[in-house]
């Protein structure tokens, strides 16, 4: 089977982009666009990837062993696969090994874009209050020790921008690529709040001078496993320690705000628009919220894979009901887009068995995802007097599933969540009292009634018999 290789001289490719958080999604998504830019002849936009976590030594070793190159295999709905070697990641730095080198590349005038995939929970903005309330240990450590070398994403951004300001170097554009509505605004709020704790003047400069375009990103990317590595080795003859497998579909919509310049992204398929908000809302409330519905209802029904949950007529019917009755009424008009047709396309993508995406992957850190994907729909529907029945069933399924999985739950807030669901028998609706997740919404009488009714039905009758709530 053929493998497409970089159609450019990697030795001539120069770093113009630094990316924080080089996970599988970044490598299946943003890197493919930078690779295409290089293939088109613009060699000023090579990428330096930065791994922030001390645990990412295997990723570091894989990147160095392959000189940043890796194999991407994409799968079409009919199961057809395409493979290519991505070459645009020309440098990889493991920040705990050499923080000074990370600061140097961030401060380099050639670096004009710094992008991030640090997960939905990595920004520290409280979903209920909108205030900066970080919980991750790296950010908290940087706040406690502002005079030391940084270790967190915001620590590095603040330190690099401080140096650029002192050197008279224009600031880079900060480009969040995480699934958060208004992600550029959220990043600006987080970085300025972080910086204001110890350097108010720098915070003011960042607020006034640094661009934070909003983006919408989309490509289903399962976790790389030994099966992925074996497939790449057996089918393509490449012994690659860090390949990526993903669906063929991809989309990147960016607010066009790059004061220090950008390549011609439109030529490689990026949609450059003045306002990303309608695209963000469409994708987060349809695709990402449906993912949460499939994860929690599907696991409770005994499924393992996303395509299995979509093939379950009860669960598929619930998701379609959520889309029609609950999500779509909250969306903003988007010319040329039928949201129900978009939802059908999303479910068709989910149904592709060859992508092999696990439900437990999309259930990870649900306490960060549900407030961003599902609860905005609930909030808008409550305000409008609309239906929330399926959303409440998803929340109840999340609680029941956590209660049954116990200590195997993977979530930043697992201890607090498990304590809450353990109180459900004596205090119905206890999960809704977890303020960092639900805020004031958890006290809404209508939501509490719907949630408790759904939970009781799930416990007594299971998912299949709860669909008519």
């Amino acid at each position: 089977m053929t493998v497409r290789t970089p159609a450019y001289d990697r030795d001539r490719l120069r770093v113009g982009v630094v990316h924080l958080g080089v996970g599988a999604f970044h490598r299946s998504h943003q890197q493919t666009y930078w690779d295409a830019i290089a293939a088109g002849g613009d060699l000023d936009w090579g990428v330096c990837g930065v791994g922030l976590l001390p645990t990412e030594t295997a990723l570091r070793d894989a990147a160095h062993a392959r000189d940043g190159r890796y194999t991407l295999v994409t799968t079409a709905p009919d199961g057809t696969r395409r493979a290519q070697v991505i070459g645009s990641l020309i440098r990889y730095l493991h920040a705990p090994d050499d923080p000074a080198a990370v600061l140097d590349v961030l401060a380099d005038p050639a670096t004009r874009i710094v992008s991030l995939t640090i997960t939905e929970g990595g920004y520290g903005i409280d979903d209920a209050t909108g205030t900066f309330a970080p919980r991750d240990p790296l950010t908290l450590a940087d706040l406690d020790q502002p005079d030391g070398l940084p270790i967190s994403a915001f620590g590095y951004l603040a330190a690099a921008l401080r140096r650029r300001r002192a050197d008279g170097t224009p600031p880079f554009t900060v480009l969040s690529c995480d699934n958060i509505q208004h992600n550029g605004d959220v990043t600006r709020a987080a970085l300025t709040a972080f910086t204001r704790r110890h350097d108010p003047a720098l915070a003011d400069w960042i607020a006034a001078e640094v661009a934070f375009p909003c983006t919408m990103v989309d490509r289903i990317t399962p976790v790389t496993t030994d099966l992925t590595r074996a497939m790449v080795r057996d089918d393509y003859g490449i012994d690659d320690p860090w390949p990526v497998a993903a669906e063929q579909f991809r989309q990147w919509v960016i607010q066009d705000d790059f004061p220090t310049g950008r390549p011609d992204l439109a030529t490689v398929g990026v949609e450059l628009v003045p306002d990303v908000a309608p695209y963000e809302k469409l994708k987060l409330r349809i695709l990402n919220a449906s993912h949460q519905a499939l994860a929690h209802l599907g696991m409770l029904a005994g499924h393992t894979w996303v395509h299995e949950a979509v093939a379950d007529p009860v669960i598929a019917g619930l998701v379609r009901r959520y889309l029609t009755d609950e999500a779509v009424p909250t969306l903003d008009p988007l010319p040329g887009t039928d949201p129900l047709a978009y939802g059908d396309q999303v479910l068709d993508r989910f149904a592709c068995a060859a992508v092999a995406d696990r439900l437990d992957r999309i259930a990870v850190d649900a306490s960060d995802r549900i407030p961003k994907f599902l609860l905005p729909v609930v909030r808008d529907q409550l305000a409008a007097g609309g239906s929330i029945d399926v959303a409440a069933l998803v929340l109840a399924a999340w609680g029941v599933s956590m209660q049954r999985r116990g200590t195997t739950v993977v979530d930043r807030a697992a201890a607090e969540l498990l304590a809450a669901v353990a109180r459900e028998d004596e205090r119905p609706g206890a999960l809704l009292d977890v303020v960092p997740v639900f805020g004031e919404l958890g006290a809404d009488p209508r939501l509490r009634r719907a949630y408790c009714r759904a939970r009781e039905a799930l416990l007594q009758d299971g998912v299949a018999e709860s669909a008519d709530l």
Side-chain angles (χ1 to χ4, degrees):
M1 302 177 75
T2 59
V3 180
R4 197 171 73 204
T5 56
Y8 49 87
D9 183 352
R10 294 184 79 231
D11 291 337
R12 296 176 57 213
L13 194 56
R14 297 170 291 275
V15 171
V17 180
V18 175
H19 184 83
L20 308 182
V22 189
F25 176 72
H26 166 69
R27 292 187 294 123
S28 81
H29 187 268
Q30 297 102 63
Q31 281 291 347
T32 65
Y33 293 95
W34 298 124
D35 188 76
I37 288 291
D42 191 342
L43 301 178
D44 289 334
W45 303 96
V47 182
C48 174
V50 176
L52 295 169
L53 302 178
T55 55
E56 292 179 323
T57 53
L59 195 63
R60 172 202 62 196
D61 295 344
H64 291 169
R66 295 272 297 163
D67 192 24
R69 294 169 298 175
Y70 60 91
T71 312
L72 170 66
V73 180
T74 59
T75 303
D78 64 2
T80 303
R81 286 176 172 159
R82 296 177 184 172
Q84 68 177 111
V85 173
I86 302 294
S88 48
L89 183 63
I90 56 174
R91 189 180 182 193
Y92 183 91
L93 296 172
H94 187 229
D97 293 344
D98 195 348
V102 176
L103 283 175
D104 285 345
V105 72
L106 287 168
D108 191 320
T111 297
R112 288 183 277 172
I113 296 172
V114 176
S115 53
L116 302 86
T117 47
I118 56 174
T119 77
E120 295 83 2
Y123 291 79
I125 298 295
D126 188 292
D127 292 297
T129 65
T131 58
F132 184 59
R135 292 180 290 167
D136 72 281
L138 299 186
T139 302
L140 293 173
D142 275 346
L143 287 170
D144 288 342
Q145 299 177 352
D147 297 327
L149 285 170
I151 59 174
S152 70
F154 293 117
Y156 277 108
L157 291 173
L161 287 167
R162 181 181 294 110
R163 186 187 295 184
R164 291 176 81 108
R165 183 183 62 156
D167 293 345
T169 303
F172 43 67
T173 295
V174 180
L175 193 67
S176 169
C177 299
D178 282 300
N179 285 312
I180 303 172
Q181 180 122 27
H182 310 302
N183 53 11
D185 300 333
V186 168
T187 310
R188 177 189 287 109
L191 181 56
T192 54
F194 173 94
T195 308
R196 198 170 298 284
R197 296 279 183 95
H198 300 290
D199 193 341
L202 179 61
D204 290 342
W205 183 81
I206 290 172
E209 301 295 333
V210 180
F212 295 84
C214 293
T215 70
M216 186 274 271
V217 294
D218 191 4
R219 178 170 250 176
I220 297 170
T221 306
V223 172
T224 297
T225 67
D226 286 342
L227 291 176
T228 315
R229 284 180 274 271
M231 177 267 291
V232 170
R233 182 183 62 249
D234 296 345
D235 292 353
Y236 300 100
I238 302 173
D239 189 9
D240 189 340
W242 69 329
V244 185
E247 66 171 335
Q248 194 173 97
F249 179 92
R250 66 173 188 169
Q251 187 178 17
W252 198 3
V253 185
I254 305 178
Q255 179 186 3
D256 195 5
D257 183 17
F258 294 84
T260 56
R262 59 163 176 79
D264 191 354
L265 291 166
T267 62
V268 297
V270 176
E271 299 171 63
L272 295 160
V273 299
D275 183 11
V276 176
Y279 298 87
E280 292 174 325
K281 188 180 284 189
L282 178 75
K283 192 254 182 173
L284 298 178
R285 297 189 180 195
I286 288 187
L287 187 148
N288 295 100
S290 295
H291 249 171
Q292 292 301 297
L294 290 168
H296 304 299
L297 292 168
M299 288 193 296
L300 203 57
H303 300 304
T304 300
W305 303 96
V306 172
H307 64 269
E308 291 176 339
V310 175
D312 184 319
V314 171
I315 295 176
L318 284 166
V319 172
R320 290 186 184 280
R321 196 170 123 208
Y322 160 76
L323 295 175
T324 302
D325 297 346
E326 300 177 20
V328 168
T330 72
L331 299 176
D332 301 323
L334 187 57
T337 300
D338 177 347
L340 287 177
Y342 175 82
D344 288 340
Q345 181 195 45
V346 163
L347 292 179
D348 287 344
R349 291 164 58 195
F350 291 166
C352 181
V355 172
D357 200 11
R358 293 179 63 96
L359 294 170
D360 55 7
R361 179 189 76 85
I362 56 179
V364 168
D365 287 332
S367 67
D368 288 327
R369 296 177 175 188
I370 282 176
K372 296 172 178 65
F373 307 155
L374 188 62
L375 294 189
V377 172
V378 173
R379 186 173 286 107
D380 286 355
Q381 284 291 85
L382 287 171
S387 172
I388 59 166
D389 291 339
V390 180
L393 185 66
V394 173
L395 295 174
W398 178 37
V400 173
S401 176
M402 285 193 292
Q403 201 165 8
R404 293 181 178 175
R405 287 183 289 146
T407 56
T408 65
V409 170
V410 180
D411 197 293
R412 297 170 190 260
E416 186 175 6
L417 295 168
L418 291 173
V421 296
R423 295 192 297 270
E424 286 279 3
D425 291 339
E426 61 185 53
R427 178 176 168 74
L431 178 61
L432 303 181
D433 296 330
V434 179
V435 173
V437 176
F438 293 96
E440 83 294 341
L441 192 64
D444 185 273
R446 189 172 159 220
L447 175 59
R448 295 189 77 89
R449 287 194 300 271
Y451 170 86
C452 291
R453 184 170 65 248
R455 184 175 185 277
E456 183 177 356
L458 288 170
L459 290 172
Q460 290 183 356
D461 305 315
V463 173
E465 300 301 322
S466 303
D468 294 330
L469 284 175

